[in-house]
Amino acid sequence: MSAEQIDALRAYRDQHGRRWKSRLLAGWLSSTGDEGPELRQVRNTFGPSWLLNYRLPD
């Protein structure tokens, strides 16, 4: 995963709070959210189910 993709995940987490994963996953599954190109790349590369076990690096 690129540094830009990790930064995009962090920014999404910071913007959406504690339930950021469930919100991102819901956006991915409904295709209604505009997460930006980096997060779309993450979804297309790793798939939605990958997000459930992912932990952002410190």
Side-chain angles (χ1 to χ4, degrees), residues 5-25:
Q5 291 169 332
I6 293 171
D7 288 343
L9 285 167
R10 281 193 180 118
Y12 193 91
R13 177 200 61 194
D14 293 346
Q15 183 179 14
H16 294 282
R18 184 176 181 162
R19 297 187 46 90
W20 71 275
K21 284 185 182 181
S22 63
R23 290 176 189 239
L24 181 57
L25 184 60

Side-chain angles (χ1 to χ4, degrees), residues 4-55:
E4 291 83 11
Q5 291 169 332
I6 293 171
D7 288 343
L9 285 167
R10 281 193 180 118
Y12 193 91
R13 177 200 61 194
D14 293 346
Q15 183 179 14
H16 294 282
R18 184 176 181 162
R19 297 187 46 90
W20 71 275
K21 284 185 182 181
S22 63
R23 290 176 189 239
L24 181 57
L25 184 60
W28 282 354
L29 295 177
S30 68
S31 299
T32 59
D34 184 22
E35 302 88 21
E38 291 85 8
L39 294 181
R40 281 193 301 273
Q41 289 171 350
V42 170
R43 178 197 63 207
N44 293 341
T45 302
F46 300 105
S49 62
W50 160 89
L51 183 62
L52 298 174
N53 295 320
Y54 180 71
R55 291 183 153 261

